[in-house]
Each structure stands twice: as structure tokens, then as C-alpha cells.
Amino acid sequence: MQKFHILFLFVGLQAIAQAQFQNKYDQPLNFACGNRDSISMITSRHSNDAEDREWGFSCKRTFDSQSECFWTNYVNYFDERFTFNCPQNYVLSGMSSFHDNGAEDRRWKFYCCRVNNYCNSNCQWTTYVNNFDEYFTWNVPGLNYLVGAQSYHDNGAEDRRWKYLYCTRNKC
């Protein structure tokens, strides 16, 4: 059993090493994968002092050719629950947010990409991938692609919990 815990710790540390945090506490986050990639892993740690999170991402090759992409408008106001899905047959390739010290929360927008000959199918939501104030790493399951996010904020914890929507992709 001890070997399993050591292996799990090693794999977790390896994921941290591969995903450099893209923002500092209380600072804006602006991250986008390359134009042929989508987000494959999300990691985040919370600070009770800053009441904010740092975010890290990894990307994977998703498209055979250059993709058509766009940034959304902000999908939430501070302290507001949101559910966001990229439009049909798009995948999530970036995330951007800014933090407000009064609300101790972030407003979010997303970067969605597609190529015309791929369609999403068999989509499903995760359960919550984190508890409040908790470090987390979530990997998009193999042969699947991230397409959406859902989150709610708690004013007591001054943090958010997250769920993610992922799909398989097929030629259409």
C-alpha cells in the first residue's frame, strides 16, 4: 500500500511540474493553448491569506489544422454561480479572469476553438473536482476534450468549487 501512495504522490508532483502557474494571487489570469491545442489538465491552489487561487494548465494536440477561435465575454459577476459550455463542436482552449479584493472572487471568460470537420459527442459533467480552500489537479479523461465549466462561490470560504464538461470528438 505504501508503494501506491508514493507512486500517487510522484504522479501528482509530476503533474505540478508540467503545469506552471499562469497567474499570481490577486492578479489577472490570461491563458490560451496554441492554435491546434486544447486544455488537457487544470491545477489550482488556494490561499486563505489572499482569498484567491493560482491556476496552471497543460494542453494537448486537438486539431490537425489551424482552428477557428474566439474569446467569450465574461460569463459571471462576482459571487455568482455560472454554467458555461462552448458552442456546439467547440472545445475549451483558454481561460481568463480577474480578481476583486472586495468580493474576493473572479469574473471568468473562456477561449473556445473548433475545426469544421469534428463534432462533439458523449458529453458528461464531472462531479465537483475540489472542496473549498483545497488544492486540485484535474485531467481531462483520455480521448476526451474539455468543453465547459460550472462553478459556484461561497462567501464564507471565499472560494469556488468547480465541475467540468468533457466530450469525445469524432469526424462529422
Side-chain angles (χ1 to χ4, degrees):
M1 188 67 151
Q2 188 175 12
K3 286 183 182 180
F4 174 77
H5 290 291
I6 292 169
L7 177 62
F8 183 78
L9 178 62
F10 175 74
V11 170
L13 291 174
Q14 191 175 25
I16 293 168
Q18 292 173 355
Q20 180 179 359
F21 288 106
Q22 299 294 313
N23 69 303
K24 300 291 184 203
Y25 297 118
D26 295 332
Q27 297 300 309
L29 166 69
N30 292 296
F31 176 81
C33 296
N35 66 13
R36 293 184 180 196
D37 299 340
S38 67
I39 294 173
S40 62
M41 189 268 294
I42 300 172
T43 189
S44 181
R45 62 184 173 201
H46 184 266
S47 164
N48 283 325
D49 291 334
E51 293 297 5
D52 191 22
R53 286 185 169 273
E54 292 181 318
W55 292 87
F57 305 90
S58 292
C59 300
K60 68 178 176 180
R61 183 55 45 107
T62 304
F63 306 109
D64 296 333
S65 60
Q66 188 166 337
S67 55
E68 170 191 320
C69 302
F70 70 94
W71 281 102
T72 66
N73 293 322
Y74 287 102
V75 301
N76 70 303
Y77 292 100
F78 298 116
D79 297 334
E80 184 179 72
R81 173 185 297 265
F82 69 84
T83 299
F84 171 77
N85 301 343
C86 284
Q88 185 174 1
N89 301 325
Y90 281 76
V91 298
L92 237 169
S93 294
M95 299 172 77
S96 178
S97 65
F98 70 93
H99 184 263
D100 178 83
N101 283 324
E104 295 295 7
D105 192 19
R106 287 181 171 268
R107 290 191 66 192
W108 288 91
K109 58 183 176 178
F110 298 94
Y111 191 59
C112 297
C113 299
R114 74 173 180 132
V115 293
N116 287 330
N117 57 340
Y118 281 93
C119 295
N120 296 339
S121 60
N122 303 317
C123 300
Q124 53 190 313
W125 283 99
T126 65
T127 57
Y128 285 105
V129 300
N130 69 304
N131 290 312
F132 295 118
D133 299 337
E134 180 180 76
Y135 172 91
F136 75 88
T137 296
W138 179 74
N139 290 286
V140 178
L143 304 178
N144 288 274
Y145 299 88
L146 180 62
V147 300
Q150 183 181 90
S151 183
Y152 74 95
H153 184 264
D154 179 84
N155 283 323
E158 294 295 8
D159 193 17
R160 285 186 167 272
R161 292 188 71 196
W162 290 86
K163 290 182 176 183
Y164 295 106
L165 180 64
Y166 61 92
C167 305
T168 58
R169 292 179 57 73
N170 304 300
K171 293 239 181 208
C172 50

